[in-house]
């Protein structure tokens, strides 16, 4: 069964940079796919695939709470998922591997078929076997979350995905190895990858402050909003910039003195 997330009824007929996909693991084959939101940015459209209606309802609410994402479809079977992908052309599919008609890994494989619109896949499943994780990666999954995925974990994963699509969509040029490294760090950054002098909670607070501001901020402005010293804010802003989640720029004031400004990457 397939449902459009904006409809209350079900249709019984339907249960930055230009990087070639072959170079970057078929990464983000359709950067920024979605619709414009009220802020003028493109929402990343999402298809949720899971056989449990309780899970899909919960995931839909969680995803729609993340800025820049919009659930456009829900599917409870593998065949319905493929039909929904053709119908809604989502930018991202959240895919369970336990489905009643087709193995989830087979669905992930078929989503890469030429007759399917290009889409990205993040697996959300209860399966923990290393062979299954590897098989999902081989079929193009960008990330793998084990159920039950806490809201904070899913939210950070989606935010990293959005930041990555933003970097890839930022330009039509060619990326050097350093930028490619940043792209992959942005997508797969986790708490274990934080340097010793970086707190995951503080980094998230700094990032949340930039998101809430809706514009660029200086280190001093960020420090005042978060409640830390200017030096600490600057360290975290530079760290987030290195990870690819924040864009740094220079602005020259009336005296001609440059000031570093920071803003989040947006699709």
């Amino acid at each position: 069964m397939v449902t459009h997330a904006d409809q209350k009824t079900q249709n019984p007929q339907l249960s930055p940079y230009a990087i070639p996909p072959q170079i970057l693991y078929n990464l983000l084959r359709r950067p920024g796919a979605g619709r414009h939101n009220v802020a003028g940015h493109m929402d990343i459209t999402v298809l949720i695939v899971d056989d449990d209606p309780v899970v899909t309802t919960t995931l839909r609410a969680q995803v729609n709470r993340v800025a820049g994402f919009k659930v456009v479809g829900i599917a409870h079977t593998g065949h319905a998922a493929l039909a929904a992908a053709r119908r809604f052309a989502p930018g991202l599919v959240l895919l369970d591997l336990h489905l009643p008609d087709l193995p989830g890994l087979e669905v992930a494989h078929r989503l890469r078929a030429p007759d399917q619109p290009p889409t990205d896949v993040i697996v959300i499943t209860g399966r923990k076997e290393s062979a299954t994780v590897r098989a999902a990666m081989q079929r193009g999954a960008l990330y793998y979350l084990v159920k039950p995925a806490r809201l904070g974990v899913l939210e950070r994963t989606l935010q990293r995905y959005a930041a990555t699509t933003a970097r890839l969509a930022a330009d039509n040029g060619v990326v050097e190895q350093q930028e490619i490294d940043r792209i992959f760090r942005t997508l797969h950054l986790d708490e274990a990858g934080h340097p010793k002098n970086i707190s995951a909670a503080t980094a998230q607070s700094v990032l949340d402050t930039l998101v809430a501001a809706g514009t660029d901020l200086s280190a001093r402005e960020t420090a005042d909003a978060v409640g830390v010293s200017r030096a600490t804010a600057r360290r975290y802003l530079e760290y987030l910039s290195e990870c690819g989640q924040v864009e740094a720029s220079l602005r020259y004031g009336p005296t001609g003195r440059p000031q570093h400004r920071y803003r989040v990457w947006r699709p």
Side-chain angles (χ1 to χ4, degrees):
M1 177 177 59
V2 178
T3 63
H4 191 292
D6 295 325
Q7 294 177 341
K8 295 183 179 179
T9 58
Q10 299 176 355
N11 184 344
Q13 302 299 320
L14 287 174
S15 304
Y17 294 94
I19 304 178
Q22 64 269 29
I23 294 178
L24 278 186
Y25 187 57
N26 279 334
L27 178 65
L28 305 173
R29 298 166 65 198
R30 193 165 177 256
R35 62 179 70 174
H36 285 284
N37 58 27
V38 293
H41 301 292
M42 290 292 289
D43 278 333
I44 296 174
T45 52
V46 180
L47 169 65
I48 297 173
V49 183
D50 196 294
D51 65 333
D52 188 338
V54 175
V55 172
T56 56
T57 299
T58 300
L59 284 176
R60 175 186 172 186
Q62 291 178 339
V63 171
N64 282 337
R65 281 199 293 267
V66 180
F69 288 84
K70 176 69 174 179
V71 176
V72 295
I74 293 173
H76 298 295
T77 68
H79 287 103
L82 297 172
R86 286 191 294 269
R87 178 181 179 185
F88 301 128
L92 176 65
V93 175
L94 300 182
L95 177 65
D96 183 26
L97 297 184
H98 180 74
L99 299 172
D101 57 341
L102 290 174
L105 291 173
E106 177 64 19
V107 174
H109 175 70
R110 293 191 188 185
L111 285 171
R112 299 296 184 188
D115 63 333
Q116 289 286 150
T119 188
D120 298 316
V121 175
I122 292 177
V123 170
I124 304 182
T125 183
R127 299 184 61 177
K128 301 179 182 179
E129 306 89 350
S130 59
T132 302
V133 176
R134 183 177 182 184
M137 293 172 61
Q138 291 170 336
R139 287 158 178 77
L142 297 181
Y143 208 70
Y144 195 107
L145 293 175
V146 176
K147 292 179 181 178
R150 299 190 306 273
L151 173 59
V153 173
L154 177 60
E155 180 178 6
R156 288 193 296 272
T157 300
L158 294 177
Q159 288 172 341
R160 293 197 302 268
Y161 171 80
T164 305
T165 63
R167 296 195 76 90
L168 289 172
D171 195 6
N172 291 322
V174 175
V175 286
E176 301 297 336
Q177 185 63 54
Q178 183 179 12
E179 182 65 17
I180 294 173
D181 292 342
R182 288 183 177 182
I183 289 170
F184 276 90
R185 282 199 300 271
T186 299
L187 185 62
H188 297 109
L189 177 68
D190 58 21
E191 295 184 11
H194 290 165
K196 291 183 178 180
N197 64 340
I198 295 293
S199 159
T202 303
Q204 189 61 48
S205 293
V206 171
L207 191 60
D208 290 343
T209 296
L210 291 176
V211 171
T215 186
D216 58 3
L217 296 177
S218 67
R220 169 56 62 192
E221 292 166 337
T222 305
D224 292 342
V226 177
V228 297
S229 69
R230 180 183 179 279
T232 297
R234 176 71 179 272
R235 183 171 76 251
Y236 278 86
L237 288 165
E238 290 296 333
Y239 166 72
L240 291 169
S241 176
E242 177 68 20
C243 292
Q245 294 179 281
V246 168
E247 179 185 15
S249 62
L250 284 177
R251 179 185 298 175
Y252 291 87
T255 63
R257 187 173 181 175
Q259 181 186 59
H260 289 273
R261 309 287 297 184
Y262 304 88
R263 68 179 179 87
V264 294
W265 279 94
R266 294 187 181 276

